[in-house]
Amino acid sequence: MRSPKDFFRPLAVGAPAPVREVPFRPSRMIHFFDPGNEKMAAKVPAIAPTVDVLLGNLEDAVAADRKEAARAGLVRTAKETDFGDTQLWTRVNSLDSPWALDDLITLVTEIGDKLDVIMVPKVEGAQDIHYVDRLLAQLEAKAGVTRPILVHAILETATGVANVEQIAGASPRMQGISLGPADLAASRRMKTTRVGGGHPGYLVREDPHADEVAPRATFQQDLWHYTIARMVDACAAHGILPYYGPFGDIKDTTACEDQFRNAFLLGCVGAWSLHPVQIDIAKRVFSPAPADVAWARKVIAAMGDGTGAVMIDGKMQDDATYKQCQVVASLADALAARDPELRDAYAA
Ligand code: 1VU
Ligand code: MG
């Protein structure tokens, strides 16, 4: 472990200085595309202005014999596309694969100046982040990259969950963490076969009725609540951003919206979109409702310096509700600066 004094020193001579604070840039949806799929890659210039983050995926969902094509496709797309203020991320192959090293070397060398964040899958502990941290510093120095590329970890192994606090604080490069429910389910030996979302068998049942005949109601429970809450706490404790990951039932847009909203309410700032239909769901869910923004601003205005207690519409407000309202209002300000529709909706 580095001493606190060394934490913000570059890990290679000539590498850019690490950031002291993770910049908050709207990232309501991290839109996945396969850069080796020419049809999908051709849609990137049109999709870019409609999303906060575009992510060229090199890992799972890209077949083993298409890895080099995906990597080359991402380099080509990044060089040819003007992303405006939309962020470009990539998901590299896992560190125990034969492709990860070439992914990092090629991407930083060829398009390091365009990449905002590198998502690292199947992170198990701080050691994985330390490996990527040093390698990125060496590559940035060699390629003359002038601002540090940030790192995002996917929480998708039982060991990773056990070590989530250490992962979150492993490097000043850490930008955030996403829940990866599909790999995590396999790692935990959960008996589901889905990509995120609920399961009808995971429930609680009400007590028997007096007549012992009337049917007993059941209530489906959230399989992911514990892990998302742990991830959110670890991220908040280290000043980085938590995200829900993939929702695989593309046709079930209602359940996708529910899953995304649960994550939003628990503190996540965004989720992955795997298909164009999920982009607007994420945009809707991870942008606070105009009525909530108006309420937050009303409380902030009424609370003056943020101390004391006041009543608004029959509800007690004090220092703690003031802080909650600041979370909502500052998110609204950041989103309004990016999204003209929201600027108007929040101004109304
Ligand atoms: O109408 P067109 O034929 O011109 O285009 C199709 C399709 O190419 C396009 N499209 C996309 N465009 C951009 N980005 C995307 N992510 C994307 N997905 C589809 O939209 C048009 C309509 O498509 P569709 O409804 O016919 O859907 P497909 O059967 O073509 O594709 C569905 C899948 C799910 C295969 C596709 O959306 C996809 O590959 N998405 C990304 C999957 C991914 O990245 N998985 C890894 C992350 S999840 C994980 O790791 C844990 C499970
Ligand atoms: Mg995975």
Side-chain angles (χ1 to χ4, degrees), residues 31-33 39-40 43 47 57 59-61 91 182 195 246 250 272-276:
H31 183 72
F32 273 58
F33 73 99
K39 212 167 128 194
M40 222 187 259
K43 293 183 191 294
I47 290 182
N57 175 38
E59 199 226 8
D60 291 356
R91 178 170 81 170
V195 178
I250 307 289
W272 303 359
S273 55
L274 303 184
H275 185 278

Side-chain angles (χ1 to χ4, degrees), residues 53-277:
V53 177
L54 262 170
L55 180 145
N57 175 38
L58 307 184
E59 199 226 8
D60 291 356
V62 174
D65 62 354
R66 303 284 306 150
K67 295 292 186 189
E68 270 86 20
R71 192 190 297 138
L74 179 55
V75 169
R76 198 169 43 249
T77 300
K79 286 187 172 172
E80 288 173 0
T81 310
D82 176 3
F83 295 98
D85 57 4
T86 295
Q87 299 178 60
L88 177 66
W89 296 20
T90 185
R91 178 170 81 170
V92 294
N93 285 286
S94 63
L95 300 179
D96 62 356
S97 77
W99 305 291
L101 183 60
D102 286 342
D103 289 346
L104 291 167
I105 292 174
T106 304
L107 296 178
V108 179
T109 308
E110 296 279 338
I111 56 167
D113 54 336
K114 285 205 140 181
L115 273 179
D116 292 292
V117 175
I118 293 181
M119 185 182 273
V120 182
K122 302 176 177 72
V123 172
E124 304 238 285
Q127 71 278 6
D128 291 337
I129 302 301
H130 295 160
Y131 169 82
V132 172
D133 199 6
R134 177 77 79 173
L135 185 54
L136 285 180
Q138 293 168 341
L139 293 169
E140 286 167 344
K142 188 164 175 233
V145 175
T146 53
R147 47 134 189 77
I149 299 168
L150 302 184
V151 169
H152 182 108
I154 311 181
L155 195 60
E156 54 181 347
T157 68
T159 308
V161 176
N163 293 327
V164 65
E165 286 84 8
Q166 290 96 313
I167 293 168
S171 159
R173 280 186 203 275
M174 280 301 296
Q175 177 274 345
I177 300 181
S178 286
L179 172 74
D183 271 299
L184 182 55
S187 168
R188 282 178 172 161
R189 304 186 66 76
M190 289 166 67
K191 307 304 181 292
T192 54
T193 55
R194 303 171 171 212
V195 178
H199 192 288
Y202 192 71
L203 51 79
V204 291
R205 187 179 301 272
E206 73 174 343
D207 284 356
H209 300 286
D211 63 6
E212 293 190 359
V213 173
R216 295 157 61 189
T218 59
F219 306 90
Q220 200 170 314
Q221 305 293 292
D222 183 357
L223 286 164
W224 303 110
H225 178 268
Y226 155 77
T227 316
I228 294 178
R230 258 201 88 174
M231 177 181 75
V232 167
D233 283 345
C235 288
H238 289 279
I240 68 171
L241 305 172
Y243 298 77
Y244 179 77
F247 190 86
D249 193 342
I250 307 289
K251 294 267 177 281
D252 194 348
T253 51
T254 305
C256 176
E257 180 156 348
D258 292 339
Q259 178 70 75
F260 284 7
R261 184 161 291 105
N262 288 350
F264 173 68
L265 289 170
L266 272 182
C268 291
V269 298
W272 303 359
S273 55
L274 303 184
H275 185 278
V277 78

